C-alpha cells in the first residue's frame, strides 16, 4: 500500500469514527429525555399511589377512632348501669321475704294480748326492712285505679266492676316493684273487664 492510500484509509476511519460519535452523541440526549419522561411518569404514578394509600390509611384511622369512641361510651354506660343496679340480685332475693311479712301482717289478726304484740313486732321489722330496700332504690307500685299496662302489670284475672271502666286495675294480688327506674317485678293484678 502506498502512503496516500494509508492516509485515505486513516481519514475514512476518522470520519466514520466521528460519524459514529456524532450519532452516539445525538442518541444519548434522546435516550436521556426518554428516561427522564419515564421517570416523571413513574414518579407521578407513585405519588398518586402513595396519596391513595395515605387517604385509605387515614380513613381506616378515622373509623378505628370512631369505633374506639363508641366502645368507650358503651363501656362507660354499662359500668354506670352495673353500679346503679348492683343491688338488683339482692333485692330480688329479698322480695319473697317482704311478701311473707305482708302476709303475716294480714293474717295476724287484731291487737289483743300476745298476738297484738307479736304483730307489732313483725310490723316494725317489716318497716325497717322495707326502709333499707327503699334506700337502695326500691319502690312499690300502686297500680289500683290505673289503666292496665303490660309493661308494669301481669293480669291474672278479669273481673266485672261497676265502679271502674274496662281495662283498669281493680285489685293487686302480688305487689310489683321498681328498682330506681327499672321494673324488677311486675304487679300481679285483677283487671276490670
Amino acid at each position: 500500500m502506498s502512503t496516500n492510500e494509508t492516509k485515505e484509509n486513516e481519514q475514512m476511519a476518522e470520519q466514520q469514527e466521528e460519524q459514529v460519535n456524532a450519532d452516539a452523541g445525538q442518541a444519548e440526549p434522546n435516550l436521556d429525555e426518554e428516561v427522564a419522561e419515564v421517570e416523571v411518569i413513574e414518579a407521578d404514578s407513585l405519588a398518586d399511589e402513595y396519596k391513595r394509600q395515605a387517604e385509605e390509611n387515614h380513613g381506616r384511622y378515622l373509623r378505628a377512632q370512631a369505633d374506639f369512641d363508641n366502645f368507650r361510651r358503651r363501656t362507660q354506660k354499662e359500668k354506670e348501669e352495673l353500679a346503679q343496679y348492683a343491688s338488683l340480685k339482692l333485692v330480688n332475693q329479698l322480695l319473697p321475704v317482704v311478701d311473707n311479712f305482708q302476709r303475716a301482717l294480714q293474717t295476724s289478726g287484731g291487737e289483743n294480748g300476745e298476738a297484738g304484740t307479736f304483730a307489732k313486732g313483725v310490723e316494725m321489722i317489716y318497716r325497717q326492712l322495707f326502709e333499707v330496700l327503699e334506700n337502695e332504690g326500691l319502690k312499690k307500685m300502686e297500680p289500683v285505679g290505673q289503666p292496665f299496662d303490660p309493661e308494669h302489670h301481669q293480669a291474672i284475672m278479669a273481673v266485672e266492676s261497676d265502679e271502674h271502666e274496662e281495662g283498669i286495675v281493680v285489685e293487686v294480688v302480688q305487689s310489683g316493684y321498681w328498682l330506681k327506674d327499672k321494673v324488677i317485678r311486675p304487679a300481679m293484678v285483677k283487671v276490670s273487664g
Side-chain angles (χ1 to χ4, degrees), residues 25-35:
Q26 287 177 356
E28 284 180 16
N30 288 341
L31 182 63
D32 286 342
E33 287 175 11
E34 288 178 17
V35 168

Side-chain angles (χ1 to χ4, degrees), residues 7-165:
K7 279 186 179 181
E8 278 181 24
N9 284 340
E10 284 177 8
Q11 284 178 352
M12 278 178 78
E14 283 178 14
Q15 285 177 355
Q16 285 178 350
E17 190 175 309
E18 285 175 5
Q19 184 65 35
V20 168
N21 286 340
D23 289 344
Q26 287 177 356
E28 284 180 16
N30 288 341
L31 182 63
D32 286 342
E33 287 175 11
E34 288 178 17
V35 168
E37 284 181 30
V38 168
E39 286 177 354
V40 167
I41 291 171
E42 287 178 359
D44 286 345
S45 67
L46 282 176
D48 290 343
E49 177 66 19
Y50 290 146
K51 186 176 180 180
R52 185 191 63 75
Q53 286 179 357
E55 289 173 355
E56 186 177 302
N57 288 337
H58 184 68
R60 283 185 190 149
Y61 164 76
L62 292 176
R63 284 189 296 279
Q65 186 68 33
D67 286 345
F68 178 74
D69 288 343
N70 291 339
F71 172 76
R72 185 178 43 78
R73 278 191 224 107
R74 187 174 54 248
T75 304
Q76 182 66 27
K77 184 179 177 184
E78 288 172 358
K79 190 172 154 183
E80 288 171 0
E81 282 183 6
L82 181 63
Q84 185 177 11
Y85 296 108
S87 58
L88 178 67
K89 184 177 179 184
L90 172 65
V91 171
N92 270 329
Q93 290 173 346
L94 287 175
L95 285 178
V97 176
V98 170
D99 291 338
N100 289 335
F101 268 120
Q102 285 177 336
R103 288 184 196 106
L105 288 171
Q106 289 171 352
T107 59
S108 65
E111 292 191 23
N112 54 3
E114 202 172 298
T117 307
F118 178 74
K120 281 186 180 181
V122 169
E123 186 176 346
M124 288 172 53
I125 294 169
Y126 170 74
R127 276 189 281 155
Q128 183 182 17
L129 174 63
F130 202 77
E131 189 177 301
V132 170
L133 293 172
E134 282 179 326
N135 290 339
E136 286 297 317
L138 184 72
K139 289 180 263 172
K140 186 176 181 180
M141 291 182 188
E142 300 294 339
V144 175
Q146 302 292 321
F148 175 76
D149 182 355
E151 302 260 334
H152 303 136
H153 311 128
Q154 180 179 355
I156 59 169
M157 183 182 296
V159 294
E160 294 296 323
S161 174
D162 295 333
E163 47 184 87
H164 295 289
E165 297 176 17

